[in-house]
């Protein structure tokens, strides 16, 4: 009944009248008309109810989908204990000759260029002539001592270095370094090196610093002290910097392991002194290469914050010639060396707490025979057996401030033989202390004190030296090797 009542109400308009006109009908006709309309609405409602039931049945027949589980977020990784990069003297990451990635026009056509300049103030208690005494040390006079600064009392303009480096193409890197001082301009290095050869193998050709030892390949602005150590100065003539070919092999091993060999022209005055027939017709002629070297380096894993490298090296010269007065001598020479360096990287900023311990030992022997035409009998044996070492430590005392000490000696073994007579001389030794301030990666201020003692003509000479050094680096300069 309530359905019919609702349907009837829907047909009644506002004010209680029907919305359509009605003709005059009998009461019976009106009643039948209303009943038909009500039946039509009831039929339509029943049909809609039937469709609703069918939809419910279809929905109930379908399987209930398995709800997708909410993914569990991964547990946070534990904090890794690894090397901490100090924001101090971190080199600018510039692709230089050590880079073997994709070659772009940035390095193909525009080489990286830099200038490193230095100025020095020098004072000693020998009227500025103390460095000139080392080449006169007993046992080492006339043997090619070199690599020590040529300074005068007061202000000095040091060496200025001009560097150009680039990736030539996908196969070669190239480097050229020119040096200039107040008197001359020279080529310190100029070489090309392969980028893609056999795995782990590289070949370098040109003029370059030999990779024997540890300090030998370093340029002066890389040193921790303002001058070269005595072992290198008096046994290597400063450094082995020759024209030749170098082959290095870096095998794929769990630790860093490097092997290398070099064939060099042989012009180093301390190791491979060659004069030729032009200097004295008694000398024989021999084309280069005359100096051959080999080396191996290993760096075991000693932790995240520490690094250790140990090396062994040696060399042999096939034609060593020497002129002492009117006596010409000719023969061979060889050397051997050990080197080790340990570095600790402290997490504190700007190098504070960093520590470097470094040392090398070098042994050198020269075996000669006198040639005809001089005052000494031909065929008389002459030889030198000498050695040297240095040990140093550098510590990051404060942010950007380093304190270093060095003890170096040459001639702990210092025996010179002339025919049947063998003479032993004393050693040359020196203690150095240095304080270095690096305002930025591109400037350096260093104060150094040396106290040295060496025998000259049988009399031990002592000296004190003070150096104040200022260095600046301009332009792009890549990171140096370990």
């Amino acid at each position: 009944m309530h359905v019919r009542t609702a349907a009837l109400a829907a047909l009644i308009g506002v004010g209680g009248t029907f919305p359509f006109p009605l003709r005059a009908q009998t009461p019976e006709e009106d009643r039948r008309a209303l009943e038909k309309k009500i039946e039509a609405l009831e039929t339509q409602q029943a049909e809609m109810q039937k469709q609703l039931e069918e939809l419910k049945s279809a929905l109930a027949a379908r399987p209930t989908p398995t709800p997708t589980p909410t993914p569990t977020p991964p547990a946070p990784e534990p904090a890794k204990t690894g090397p901490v990069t100090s924001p101090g003297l971190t080199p600018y990451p510039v692709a230089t000759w050590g880079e073997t990635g994709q070659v772009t026009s940035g390095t193909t056509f525009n080489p990286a260029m830099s200038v490193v300049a230095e100025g020095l103030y020098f004072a000693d208690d020998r009227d500025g002539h103390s460095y000139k005494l080392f080449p006169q040390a007993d046992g080492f006079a006339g043997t090619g001592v070199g690599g020590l600064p040529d300074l005068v009392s007061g202000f000095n303009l040091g060496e200025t270095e001009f560097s150009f480096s680039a990736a030539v193409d996908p196969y070669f890197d190239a480097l050229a370094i020119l040096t200039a001082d107040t008197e001359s301009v020279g080529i310190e290095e100029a070489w090309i090196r392969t980028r893609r050869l056999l795995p782990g193998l590289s070949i370098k050709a040109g003029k370059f610093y030999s990779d024997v030892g540890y300090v030998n390949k370093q340029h002066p602005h890389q040193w921790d002290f303002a001058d070269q150590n005595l072992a290198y100065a008096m046994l290597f003539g400063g450094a082995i910097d020759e024209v030749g070919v170098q082959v290095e092999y870096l095998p794929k091993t769990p630790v860093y392991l490097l092997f290398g060999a070099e064939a060099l022209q042989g012009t180093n005055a301390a190791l491979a002194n060659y004069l030729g027939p032009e200097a004295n017709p008694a000398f024989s002629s021999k084309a280069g290469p005359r100096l051959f070297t080999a080396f191996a380096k290993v760096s075991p894993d000693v932790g995240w914050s520490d690094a250790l490298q140990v090396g062994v090296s040696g060399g042999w010269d096939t034609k060593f010639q020497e002129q002492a007065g009117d006596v010409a001598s000719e023969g061979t020479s060889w050397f051997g060396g050990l080197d080790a360096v340990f570095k600790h990287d402290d997490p504190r900023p700007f190098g504070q707490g960093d520590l470097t311990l470094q040392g090398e030992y070098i042994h050198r022997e020269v075996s000669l025979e006198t040639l005809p035409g001089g005052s000494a009998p031909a065929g008389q044996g002459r030889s030198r057996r000498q050695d040297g070492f240095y040990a140093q430590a550098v510590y990051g005392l404060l942010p950007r401030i380093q304190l270093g000490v060095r003890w170096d000696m040459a001639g702990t073994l210092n025996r010179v033989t002339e025919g049947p007579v063998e003479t032993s001389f004393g050693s040359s030794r020196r203690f150095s202390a240095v304080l270095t301030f690096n305002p930025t990666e591109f400037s350096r201020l260093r104060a150094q004190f040396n106290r040295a003692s060496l025998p000259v003509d049988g009399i031990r000479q002592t000296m004190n030296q003070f150096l104040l050094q200022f260095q600046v680096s301009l332009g792009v300069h890549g990171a140096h090797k370990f």
Side-chain angles (χ1 to χ4, degrees), residues 2 41 130 190 295 300 310 344 377 409-410:
H2 64 279
L41 290 174
S130 55
F295 52 87
V310 179
H344 171 72
M409 297 181 66

Side-chain angles (χ1 to χ4, degrees), residues 338-362:
L338 299 171
D339 60 270
V341 58
F342 170 82
K343 294 186 178 183
H344 171 72
D345 181 23
D346 194 276
R348 286 175 287 181
F350 304 113
Q352 184 178 7
D354 290 356
L355 175 66
T356 300
L357 303 176
Q358 180 180 322
E360 294 189 57
Y361 172 81
I362 302 170

Side-chain angles (χ1 to χ4, degrees), residues 84-91 345-352 400 441:
V84 178
T85 301
S86 172
L89 301 180
T90 304
D345 181 23
D346 194 276
R348 286 175 287 181
F350 304 113
Q352 184 178 7
R400 300 190 181 278
E441 294 87 344

Side-chain angles (χ1 to χ4, degrees), residues 21 92 98 120 151 165 178-180 202 236-237 253 262 264 288 300 314 327 336 355 359 415 433-434 457 462:
Y92 189 76
L120 299 106
L151 303 176
S165 61
L178 308 179
T179 57
S202 67
F236 279 1
T253 57
E262 299 163 339
L264 307 174
V327 178
L355 175 66
R415 297 178 183 175
V434 65
D457 296 331
T462 60

